[in-house]
Amino acid sequence: DSEIARYSVATAVLNDITALLVLGVILNLPGYLSFESIGISVLNTGWKLLALVALILGFNWGLQKLIARGVNLHRWSEKLVEVVGTEALFGILIVFVLSFGSASEALGFHFVIGAFFGALLIDQKFFLASRFNELDHTLRAITDGFLGPVFFATLGLEFKATSVKSADFVAVVLAISIASKMISGWVGGRIIGLDNVKSFGVGIILNGRGVMELVIASIAYKRGFITQGLFSALIIMGVATTIMTPLMFRRWVLPRLPKKDQSLQG
């Protein structure tokens, strides 16, 4: 409910969408790279990407049409709860998201791309407020308490400190990553009329976008696009920027915000 939060989240989502689409194109590149093979691959990937986008936008268009005609989707979800129960409703939502992941995989993209877009289609207005909060709490509990730790444990097993041959290289990766996100966040905030403090706050928050970077780095490593050394350096970068973000925000931004914004950010 604050300007820093709204602009940071919106920017992060758009960045993740762009990164996932670029990743989809890269995953479809041929093993032997030439201008002709790359051109054919991009064209082939292009129509698949259009098919995926058409599926997502078409589904969203259908939902919006139902809402425009006065259909209360939350009533449908409540009737579904009466028939199958709350736990089953949560399972249905997961299957809904995974179905988009399966469609993405079938088109040659990574599973996570379709799952990400499928989750974007789930809107709060499809449920009663209390039901949505309950579903959100359940999903967060599973993610934060189980899936998140498993993901980071997997990264830890794949991380090899000995593969990082140069501390200078890691320092450069960190410097470029931090500077590029913080400066672009600050510039973007100033362009839309935010003051220096809030613009700097947006830049700091965007610096903490480490999880999606780690997901993409993991996919790239498993597909053989990057080496063990680069992958390990990216893990260091993702973990470091994630840890430093709240510390920097509380130290340099939060005390300089108006009191009402401090309470929202707190």
Side-chain angles (χ1 to χ4, degrees):
D1 294 326
S2 68
E3 287 185 311
I4 292 177
R6 288 196 296 270
Y7 287 118
S8 298
V9 171
T11 303
V13 170
L14 289 175
N15 272 274
D16 289 344
I17 290 174
T18 304
L20 288 172
L21 293 179
V22 171
L23 176 65
V25 174
I26 293 175
L27 291 178
N28 282 272
L29 289 177
Y32 174 73
L33 296 181
S34 64
F35 287 111
E36 182 181 358
S37 62
I38 292 176
I40 294 174
S41 177
V42 170
L43 290 175
N44 187 43
T45 304
W47 77 261
K48 292 181 179 179
L49 184 59
L50 289 176
L52 180 61
V53 171
L55 173 64
I56 296 167
L57 294 181
F59 196 92
N60 184 65
W61 177 82
L63 291 175
Q64 297 304 320
K65 280 293 184 181
L66 290 175
I67 294 172
R69 292 180 180 179
V71 177
N72 293 322
L73 295 180
H74 64 80
R75 290 184 179 179
W76 289 13
S77 63
E78 285 304 300
K79 289 181 179 179
L80 194 60
V81 169
E82 292 176 2
V83 176
V84 299
T86 306
E87 294 79 6
L89 177 63
F90 176 77
I92 291 171
L93 286 180
I94 296 299
V95 171
F96 172 81
V97 172
L98 294 182
S99 64
F100 279 90
S102 298
S104 174
E105 190 84 22
L107 289 171
F109 300 104
H110 196 274
F111 189 92
V112 71
I113 298 175
F116 180 85
F117 285 117
L120 289 179
L121 294 175
I122 301 175
D123 197 286
Q124 185 171 352
K125 59 190 173 187
F126 299 161
F127 312 92
L128 295 176
S130 59
R131 187 74 62 195
F132 181 84
N133 291 334
E134 183 179 347
L135 293 169
D136 181 64
H137 176 75
T138 302
L139 184 58
R140 288 179 183 275
I142 294 175
T143 302
D144 297 340
F146 179 67
L147 298 179
V150 169
F151 172 70
F152 283 101
T154 303
L155 288 178
L157 292 173
E158 294 175 342
F159 173 76
K160 303 294 181 185
T162 55
S163 65
V164 182
K165 303 300 182 183
S166 172
D168 292 339
F169 175 74
V170 176
V172 170
V173 170
L174 272 171
I176 293 176
S177 172
I178 295 170
S180 62
K181 288 185 283 189
M182 290 183 61
I183 293 174
S184 61
W186 178 81
V187 171
R190 296 298 293 162
I191 289 175
I192 61 176
L194 297 182
D195 59 36
N196 271 319
V197 175
K198 291 183 178 179
S199 298
F200 188 47
V202 171
I204 289 178
I205 294 299
L206 292 180
N207 182 49
R209 293 179 53 252
V211 174
M212 186 58 73
E213 293 170 345
L214 294 178
V215 170
I216 293 178
S218 179
I219 294 172
Y221 173 63
K222 291 177 180 177
R223 295 294 181 94
F225 294 133
I226 60 177
T227 63
Q228 173 76 61
L230 179 55
F231 175 64
S232 297
L234 292 176
I235 289 181
I236 295 174
M237 179 268 294
V239 173
T241 54
T242 300
I243 291 175
M244 70 174 60
T245 292
L247 301 177
M248 295 170 64
F249 190 86
R250 291 181 183 134
R251 174 67 178 84
W252 293 323
V253 178
L254 195 58
R256 299 167 62 189
L257 291 174
K259 289 187 177 180
K260 65 173 184 176
D261 288 331
Q262 288 185 23
S263 62
L264 287 173
Q265 298 296 338

